[in-house]
Amino acid sequence: MNIDSIKNGIVIDHIAAGRGMKLYRLLNLDALDCTVALIKNVGSRKMEKKDIIKIDADIDVNMDILGYVDQNVTVNIIRDGEIVEKKQIALPERLTNVICCKNPRCITSTEQELPHIFRLTDAQNGVYRCLYCETQAEKTAE
Amino acid sequence: MKSLIDIQDLTPAEIDELIVTANDIIENPKKYSEVCRGKKLATLFFEPSTRTRLSFEAAMYELGGNVMSVSSGASSSAAKGESVADTAKTVSCYADIIAMRHPKEGAPLVAAMNASIPVINAGDGGHNHPTQTLTDLLTISREKGRLDNLTVGFCGDLKFGRTVHSLISALSRYTGIKIVLISPEELTVPSYITTDVLEKNGIDYEQTTDLLSALPELDILYMTRVQKERFFNEEDYLRLKDSYILTPDKLKGAKSDLCIMHPLPRVNEIAIAIDDDPRACYFKQVFNGKIIRMALMMKLLEVHV
Ligand SMILES: [Zn+2]
């Protein structure tokens, strides 16, 4: 399978196999007009299999979402066909409107206008909890 | 603007400071009788809790301030669909401090994020109730003269009891604490209490189903109600309920200076006969609750004597 290399844009590489689609959805890539490629189950030297997303436009990607879904991804910024920048990903301290609280007793369940905010409460285990009710978010791997 | 939403919002030093003020209020009530003159407390109770509301209101009156009260009902703004954020902004124009009780978890935090005056969480569903925890800490401190080096037993429904979870978290910041968790197997503490609170803070703890054998080593016994609806079947409830009822007979093996606590209201988990025992502290807790709320409101309003 051959995907044209991009001139100006972003390549999100080394996504754990199976999480590419989740990233695609959370990053709202279906709303873009430019060419976007989601490549699944690519053979890789570093990993058994990986997913790759290529975006043929110089857009701002929400790094918090990347960090939350998979902090091992690499982000390459491409200009004129060359990698000009590799971005480091870290677990974000706060996630705003990335995931929703599912606790039916949480204030966010009745007040729709409230932003859904999650805080990183345990960096070692990547645990996020709802700012309002402290319910733990589901692990990203699932 | 400082608010109190979660007991962890306060450092142990700030809790000590509140306890010092509370003790001084008890000794010199006159000194404090006018310190909040002209200040207004708004009690916004979107869920009925008469005893908590009365405690806040009595506390503000004893400081010489005034109270505006909104309890839930068909005519309240919440019933008309007003958001917590808008309610907080509106009430900020009228009052100097808010005490909010709400059935939804996190509602007082939303209020604090939007109010321009301090907000005190007076209970948000099964989540937090920090003034109850302050009440318990003041009671322990007054009865024992310290908050460290204590063996504290919690008995009854430890699974759903938010007062229990919150007091365990608060106590786990002190040294020399040993926690004894006494409950039927169906109602043990959630695992995050043992892993994230007790083990993480290196607190010595023990889990048992037997109140009688745990009693002799305790300095504090914190009783809670074992509710019938928590059990899957009636048989289990009937089999277990009497094991977690405190009677004068069971107290024979306890220390002479044991302090028996209960967040109240009680149903039958502490026999009435124990009320006259000098070790019964649950009605002192009610009094201490008013006092610590006085100290807290003074702190948040930055009122000095
Ligand atoms: Zn929540």
Side-chain angles (χ1 to χ4, degrees):
Chain A
M1 188 174 177
N2 197 13
I3 306 284
D4 289 344
S5 50
I6 51 180
K7 261 252 146 95
N8 291 296
I10 298 156
V11 176
I12 307 168
D13 201 354
H14 300 111
I15 306 166
R19 289 195 208 167
M21 197 62 203
K22 181 165 189 171
L23 260 187
Y24 184 92
R25 256 188 294 114
L26 286 173
L27 291 172
N28 258 329
L29 298 182
D30 57 344
L32 293 176
D33 290 327
C34 64
T35 309
V36 178
L38 165 61
I39 314 160
K40 281 178 58 175
N41 301 324
V42 183
S44 157
R45 260 172 296 147
K46 254 169 90 178
M47 317 154 74
E48 195 99 311
K49 268 178 182 172
K50 64 176 181 179
D51 292 355
I52 304 173
I53 293 174
K54 295 186 177 191
I55 305 163
D56 196 13
D58 203 2
I59 61 155
D60 267 330
V61 168
N62 185 329
M63 291 298 190
D64 289 350
I65 294 176
L66 286 179
Y68 169 67
V69 174
D70 186 349
Q71 52 171 325
N72 298 315
V73 302
T74 32
V75 178
N76 300 316
I77 310 291
I78 317 281
R79 284 231 173 92
D80 298 322
E82 304 274 333
I83 297 176
V84 293
E85 195 184 348
K86 274 184 185 280
K87 285 194 176 170
Q88 287 293 324
I89 307 294
L91 274 181
E93 284 297 321
R94 235 169 213 253
L95 291 169
T96 303
N97 291 329
V98 175
I99 40 175
C100 287
C101 183
K102 290 186 178 144
N103 174 9
R105 298 176 308 277
C106 180
I107 185 68
T108 56
S109 71
T110 41
E111 301 213 345
Q112 263 79 42
E113 266 101 275
L114 282 175
H116 284 248
I117 302 173
F118 280 75
R119 278 185 314 136
L120 179 64
T121 54
D122 179 352
Q124 209 167 14
N125 298 305
V127 176
Y128 284 88
R129 286 185 186 275
C130 173
L131 177 71
Y132 309 101
C133 71
E134 296 176 89
T135 296
Q136 190 174 335
E138 284 166 34
K139 280 276 161 66
T140 50
E142 278 96 62
Chain B
M1 185 56 60
K2 191 151 181 182
S3 290
L4 178 64
I5 303 304
D6 184 323
I7 191 68
Q8 306 291 336
D9 295 346
L10 294 170
T11 63
E14 286 175 308
I15 290 174
D16 283 348
E17 203 184 292
L18 288 173
I19 289 175
V20 168
T21 307
N23 285 327
D24 196 51
I25 293 172
I26 294 171
E27 270 157 49
N28 309 292
K30 273 234 164 74
K31 202 168 121 189
Y32 295 88
S33 64
E34 295 289 334
V35 291
C36 282
R37 193 174 192 89
K39 301 280 185 194
K40 283 166 285 179
L41 161 72
T43 50
L44 309 179
F45 276 53
F46 297 95
E47 174 184 76
S49 173
T50 309
R51 59 179 64 238
T52 305
R53 188 165 56 80
L54 289 180
S55 180
F56 272 104
E57 296 181 357
M60 188 45 111
Y61 283 126
E62 296 215 3
L63 293 169
N66 291 298
V67 172
M68 297 183 292
S69 184
V70 178
S71 25
S72 69
S75 65
S76 78
S77 28
K80 289 176 191 150
E82 188 176 52
S83 69
V84 170
D86 285 3
T87 302
K89 284 176 188 157
T90 305
V91 175
S92 293
C93 301
Y94 303 139
D96 299 288
I97 188 165
I98 292 171
M100 177 185 273
R101 177 125 175 164
H102 201 287
K104 288 289 176 177
E105 300 175 9
L109 175 65
V110 173
M113 289 161 76
N114 288 279
S116 56
I117 58 176
V119 176
I120 301 172
N121 182 357
D124 56 339
H127 185 218
N128 281 321
H129 192 4
T131 57
Q132 176 68 50
T133 310
L134 285 176
T135 300
D136 297 340
L137 292 172
L138 174 62
T139 304
I140 294 172
S141 161
R142 286 185 63 77
E143 296 303 314
K144 293 287 158 196
R146 62 183 190 275
L147 290 172
D148 53 8
N149 296 303
L150 292 166
T151 299
V152 186
F154 290 89
C155 177
D157 179 356
L158 307 187
K159 187 174 185 179
F160 298 97
R162 70 175 166 191
T163 54
V164 169
H165 305 160
S166 164
L167 184 55
I168 291 174
S169 306
L171 285 172
S172 67
R173 302 196 288 186
Y174 296 89
T175 55
I177 294 292
K178 180 176 178 188
I179 303 285
V180 183
L181 303 163
I182 309 151
S183 72
E185 262 149 33
E186 292 86 341
L187 296 175
T188 55
V189 290
S191 60
Y192 79 86
I193 293 288
T194 47
T195 57
D196 293 11
V197 179
L198 294 170
E199 283 161 24
K200 201 172 180 179
N201 290 294
I203 300 291
D204 188 9
Y205 76 97
E206 201 179 289
Q207 283 184 293
T208 173
T209 55
D210 187 4
L211 172 61
L212 212 55
S213 64
L215 254 175
E217 66 165 324
L218 302 181
D219 298 309
I220 311 278
L221 172 61
Y222 200 99
M223 293 294 295
T224 63
R225 184 149 54 104
V226 173
Q227 287 166 285
K228 197 173 165 178
E229 10 350 328
R230 303 297 192 205
F231 287 89
F232 292 114
N233 60 63
E234 180 114 16
E235 282 158 52
D236 283 347
Y237 172 70
L238 293 174
R239 178 170 54 83
L240 290 164
K241 70 172 174 99
D242 291 345
S243 324
Y244 302 98
I245 291 178
L246 193 62
T247 56
D249 207 38
K250 282 186 190 141
L251 268 184
K252 278 177 190 155
K255 284 186 183 172
S256 60
D257 64 346
L258 171 72
C259 162
I260 305 165
M261 296 171 67
H262 190 297
L264 301 184
R266 81 172 143 181
V267 177
N268 62 347
E269 55 279 9
I270 300 178
I272 310 276
I274 290 177
D275 294 1
D276 296 327
D277 191 303
R279 292 171 285 188
C281 297
Y282 29 94
F283 290 109
K284 290 186 195 166
Q285 267 171 282
V286 178
F287 173 76
N288 290 338
K290 178 187 71 179
I291 303 294
I292 201 74
R293 289 179 177 101
M294 290 168 74
L296 176 66
M297 287 192 286
M298 283 176 59
K299 179 183 167 66
L300 297 180
L301 288 167
E302 293 171 9
V303 176
H304 302 285
V305 190

mmCIF file of all heavy atoms in Angstrom, chain B residues 272-293:
data_model
loop_
_atom_site.group_PDB
_atom_site.id
_atom_site.type_symbol
_atom_site.label_atom_id
_atom_site.label_comp_id
_atom_site.label_asym_id
_atom_site.label_seq_id
_atom_site.Cartn_x
_atom_site.Cartn_y
_atom_site.Cartn_z
ATOM 1 N N ILE B 272 -29.826 3.459 73.351
ATOM 2 C CA ILE B 272 -30.111 4.689 74.104
ATOM 3 C C ILE B 272 -29.402 4.672 75.458
ATOM 4 O O ILE B 272 -28.977 5.698 75.968
ATOM 5 C CB ILE B 272 -31.640 4.853 74.337
ATOM 6 C CG1 ILE B 272 -32.425 4.683 73.035
ATOM 7 C CG2 ILE B 272 -31.962 6.177 75.036
ATOM 8 C CD1 ILE B 272 -32.537 5.877 72.172
ATOM 9 N N ALA B 273 -29.270 3.474 76.047
ATOM 10 C CA ALA B 273 -28.656 3.337 77.370
ATOM 11 C C ALA B 273 -27.232 3.883 77.387
ATOM 12 O O ALA B 273 -26.710 4.235 78.450
ATOM 13 C CB ALA B 273 -28.661 1.868 77.785
ATOM 14 N N ILE B 274 -26.603 3.968 76.226
ATOM 15 C CA ILE B 274 -25.219 4.454 76.181
ATOM 16 C C ILE B 274 -25.148 5.982 76.258
ATOM 17 O O ILE B 274 -24.119 6.551 76.628
ATOM 18 C CB ILE B 274 -24.513 3.896 74.918
ATOM 19 C CG1 ILE B 274 -24.302 2.395 75.107
ATOM 20 C CG2 ILE B 274 -23.171 4.587 74.643
ATOM 21 C CD1 ILE B 274 -23.695 1.694 73.931
ATOM 22 N N ASP B 275 -26.261 6.640 75.975
ATOM 23 C CA ASP B 275 -26.251 8.112 75.960
ATOM 24 C C ASP B 275 -25.720 8.719 77.262
ATOM 25 O O ASP B 275 -25.102 9.779 77.255
ATOM 26 C CB ASP B 275 -27.661 8.664 75.693
ATOM 27 C CG ASP B 275 -28.149 8.325 74.285
ATOM 28 O OD1 ASP B 275 -27.399 7.646 73.541
ATOM 29 O OD2 ASP B 275 -29.265 8.727 73.935
ATOM 30 N N ASP B 276 -25.981 8.051 78.375
ATOM 31 C CA ASP B 276 -25.540 8.592 79.665
ATOM 32 C C ASP B 276 -24.114 8.203 80.030
ATOM 33 O O ASP B 276 -23.563 8.683 81.020
ATOM 34 C CB ASP B 276 -26.489 8.125 80.785
ATOM 35 C CG ASP B 276 -27.885 8.675 80.572
ATOM 36 O OD1 ASP B 276 -27.986 9.807 80.046
ATOM 37 O OD2 ASP B 276 -28.870 7.977 80.907
ATOM 38 N N ASP B 277 -23.520 7.334 79.219
ATOM 39 C CA ASP B 277 -22.130 6.939 79.457
ATOM 40 C C ASP B 277 -21.224 8.120 79.117
ATOM 41 O O ASP B 277 -21.419 8.776 78.099
ATOM 42 C CB ASP B 277 -21.814 5.739 78.536
ATOM 43 C CG ASP B 277 -20.492 5.059 78.882
ATOM 44 O OD1 ASP B 277 -19.451 5.763 78.866
ATOM 45 O OD2 ASP B 277 -20.503 3.853 79.150
ATOM 46 N N PRO B 278 -20.256 8.430 79.999
ATOM 47 C CA PRO B 278 -19.391 9.584 79.702
ATOM 48 C C PRO B 278 -18.597 9.430 78.394
ATOM 49 O O PRO B 278 -18.076 10.402 77.870
ATOM 50 C CB PRO B 278 -18.448 9.638 80.910
ATOM 51 C CG PRO B 278 -18.600 8.345 81.618
ATOM 52 C CD PRO B 278 -19.956 7.807 81.283
ATOM 53 N N ARG B 279 -18.521 8.220 77.871
ATOM 54 C CA ARG B 279 -17.772 8.004 76.636
ATOM 55 C C ARG B 279 -18.572 8.378 75.383
ATOM 56 O O ARG B 279 -18.021 8.457 74.298
ATOM 57 C CB ARG B 279 -17.325 6.532 76.555
ATOM 58 C CG ARG B 279 -16.278 6.190 77.601
ATOM 59 C CD ARG B 279 -16.002 4.709 77.670
ATOM 60 N NE ARG B 279 -17.079 3.986 78.342
ATOM 61 C CZ ARG B 279 -17.016 2.709 78.678
ATOM 62 N NH1 ARG B 279 -15.941 1.995 78.393
ATOM 63 N NH2 ARG B 279 -18.024 2.113 79.288
ATOM 64 N N ALA B 280 -19.879 8.596 75.557
ATOM 65 C CA ALA B 280 -20.724 8.970 74.415
ATOM 66 C C ALA B 280 -20.449 10.416 74.023
ATOM 67 O O ALA B 280 -20.613 11.325 74.835
ATOM 68 C CB ALA B 280 -22.191 8.801 74.768
ATOM 69 N N CYS B 281 -20.004 10.649 72.808
ATOM 70 C CA CYS B 281 -19.628 12.004 72.393
ATOM 71 C C CYS B 281 -20.476 12.535 71.246
ATOM 72 O O CYS B 281 -20.219 13.609 70.737
ATOM 73 C CB CYS B 281 -18.162 12.026 71.968
ATOM 74 S SG CYS B 281 -17.036 11.631 73.304
ATOM 75 N N TYR B 282 -21.491 11.767 70.821
ATOM 76 C CA TYR B 282 -22.197 12.166 69.594
ATOM 77 C C TYR B 282 -23.032 13.428 69.732
ATOM 78 O O TYR B 282 -23.232 14.134 68.747
ATOM 79 C CB TYR B 282 -23.020 11.009 68.998
ATOM 80 C CG TYR B 282 -23.523 9.994 69.996
ATOM 81 C CD1 TYR B 282 -24.786 10.101 70.549
ATOM 82 C CD2 TYR B 282 -22.712 8.926 70.380
ATOM 83 C CE1 TYR B 282 -25.247 9.169 71.463
ATOM 84 C CE2 TYR B 282 -23.164 7.985 71.304
ATOM 85 C CZ TYR B 282 -24.433 8.120 71.849
ATOM 86 O OH TYR B 282 -24.888 7.192 72.762
ATOM 87 N N PHE B 283 -23.508 13.725 70.931
ATOM 88 C CA PHE B 283 -24.234 14.987 71.041
ATOM 89 C C PHE B 283 -23.266 16.158 71.194
ATOM 90 O O PHE B 283 -23.572 17.276 70.797
ATOM 91 C CB PHE B 283 -25.294 14.938 72.142
ATOM 92 C CG PHE B 283 -26.443 14.045 71.767
ATOM 93 C CD1 PHE B 283 -26.636 12.826 72.394
ATOM 94 C CD2 PHE B 283 -27.298 14.390 70.722
ATOM 95 C CE1 PHE B 283 -27.667 11.973 72.012
ATOM 96 C CE2 PHE B 283 -28.336 13.544 70.324
ATOM 97 C CZ PHE B 283 -28.519 12.332 70.974
ATOM 98 N N LYS B 284 -22.084 15.879 71.713
ATOM 99 C CA LYS B 284 -21.044 16.915 71.739
ATOM 100 C C LYS B 284 -20.650 17.263 70.309
ATOM 101 O O LYS B 284 -20.312 18.403 70.008
ATOM 102 C CB LYS B 284 -19.806 16.409 72.482
ATOM 103 C CG LYS B 284 -19.997 16.243 73.970
ATOM 104 C CD LYS B 284 -18.647 15.878 74.588
ATOM 105 C CE LYS B 284 -18.804 15.336 75.990
ATOM 106 N NZ LYS B 284 -17.569 14.691 76.452
ATOM 107 N N GLN B 285 -20.671 16.248 69.421
ATOM 108 C CA GLN B 285 -20.353 16.498 68.011
ATOM 109 C C GLN B 285 -21.288 17.550 67.414
ATOM 110 O O GLN B 285 -20.854 18.404 66.654
ATOM 111 C CB GLN B 285 -20.517 15.207 67.190
ATOM 112 C CG GLN B 285 -19.263 14.397 67.030
ATOM 113 C CD GLN B 285 -19.601 13.042 66.392
ATOM 114 O OE1 GLN B 285 -20.088 12.149 67.067
ATOM 115 N NE2 GLN B 285 -19.345 12.897 65.116
ATOM 116 N N VAL B 286 -22.569 17.464 67.762
ATOM 117 C CA VAL B 286 -23.537 18.416 67.221
ATOM 118 C C VAL B 286 -23.159 19.835 67.645
ATOM 119 O O VAL B 286 -23.128 20.765 66.839
ATOM 120 C CB VAL B 286 -24.969 18.079 67.698
ATOM 121 C CG1 VAL B 286 -25.961 19.101 67.162
ATOM 122 C CG2 VAL B 286 -25.360 16.674 67.275
ATOM 123 N N PHE B 287 -22.824 19.981 68.933
ATOM 124 C CA PHE B 287 -22.411 21.289 69.449
ATOM 125 C C PHE B 287 -21.122 21.739 68.762
ATOM 126 O O PHE B 287 -21.023 22.869 68.284
ATOM 127 C CB PHE B 287 -22.203 21.180 70.972
ATOM 128 C CG PHE B 287 -21.619 22.424 71.591
ATOM 129 C CD1 PHE B 287 -22.412 23.543 71.800
ATOM 130 C CD2 PHE B 287 -20.269 22.475 71.954
ATOM 131 C CE1 PHE B 287 -21.873 24.699 72.363
ATOM 132 C CE2 PHE B 287 -19.735 23.614 72.519
ATOM 133 C CZ PHE B 287 -20.537 24.743 72.727
ATOM 134 N N ASN B 288 -20.161 20.836 68.672
ATOM 135 C CA ASN B 288 -18.887 21.179 68.031
ATOM 136 C C ASN B 288 -19.075 21.578 66.569
ATOM 137 O O ASN B 288 -18.326 22.398 66.044
ATOM 138 C CB ASN B 288 -17.926 19.987 68.107
ATOM 139 C CG ASN B 288 -17.446 19.727 69.523
ATOM 140 O OD1 ASN B 288 -17.478 20.626 70.366
ATOM 141 N ND2 ASN B 288 -17.001 18.511 69.799
ATOM 142 N N GLY B 289 -20.092 20.983 65.916
ATOM 143 C CA GLY B 289 -20.367 21.305 64.512
ATOM 144 C C GLY B 289 -20.706 22.773 64.340
ATOM 145 O O GLY B 289 -20.245 23.436 63.399
ATOM 146 N N LYS B 290 -21.491 23.297 65.242
ATOM 147 C CA LYS B 290 -21.840 24.716 65.175
ATOM 148 C C LYS B 290 -20.593 25.572 65.406
ATOM 149 O O LYS B 290 -20.356 26.543 64.690
ATOM 150 C CB LYS B 290 -22.913 25.035 66.230
ATOM 151 C CG LYS B 290 -23.309 26.490 66.264
ATOM 152 C CD LYS B 290 -24.250 26.800 67.424
ATOM 153 C CE LYS B 290 -23.526 26.739 68.759
ATOM 154 N NZ LYS B 290 -24.389 27.048 69.920
ATOM 155 N N ILE B 291 -19.797 25.197 66.381
ATOM 156 C CA ILE B 291 -18.619 25.985 66.736
ATOM 157 C C ILE B 291 -17.600 26.018 65.589
ATOM 158 O O ILE B 291 -17.059 27.074 65.241
ATOM 159 C CB ILE B 291 -17.942 25.413 68.007
ATOM 160 C CG1 ILE B 291 -18.935 25.383 69.173
ATOM 161 C CG2 ILE B 291 -16.684 26.198 68.356
ATOM 162 C CD1 ILE B 291 -19.393 26.742 69.660
ATOM 163 N N ILE B 292 -17.352 24.853 64.977
ATOM 164 C CA ILE B 292 -16.330 24.819 63.928
ATOM 165 C C ILE B 292 -16.835 25.580 62.689
ATOM 166 O O ILE B 292 -16.054 26.190 61.966
ATOM 167 C CB ILE B 292 -15.900 23.369 63.583
ATOM 168 C CG1 ILE B 292 -14.514 23.355 62.913
ATOM 169 C CG2 ILE B 292 -16.883 22.660 62.684
ATOM 170 C CD1 ILE B 292 -13.349 23.601 63.805
ATOM 171 N N ARG B 293 -18.143 25.592 62.474
ATOM 172 C CA ARG B 293 -18.692 26.373 61.350
ATOM 173 C C ARG B 293 -18.538 27.869 61.626
ATOM 174 O O ARG B 293 -18.330 28.656 60.701
ATOM 175 C CB ARG B 293 -20.154 25.998 61.080
ATOM 176 C CG ARG B 293 -20.271 24.602 60.469
ATOM 177 C CD ARG B 293 -21.699 24.139 60.195
ATOM 178 N NE ARG B 293 -21.673 22.831 59.541
ATOM 179 C CZ ARG B 293 -21.903 21.657 60.145
ATOM 180 N NH1 ARG B 293 -22.216 21.633 61.437
ATOM 181 N NH2 ARG B 293 -21.816 20.528 59.480
#
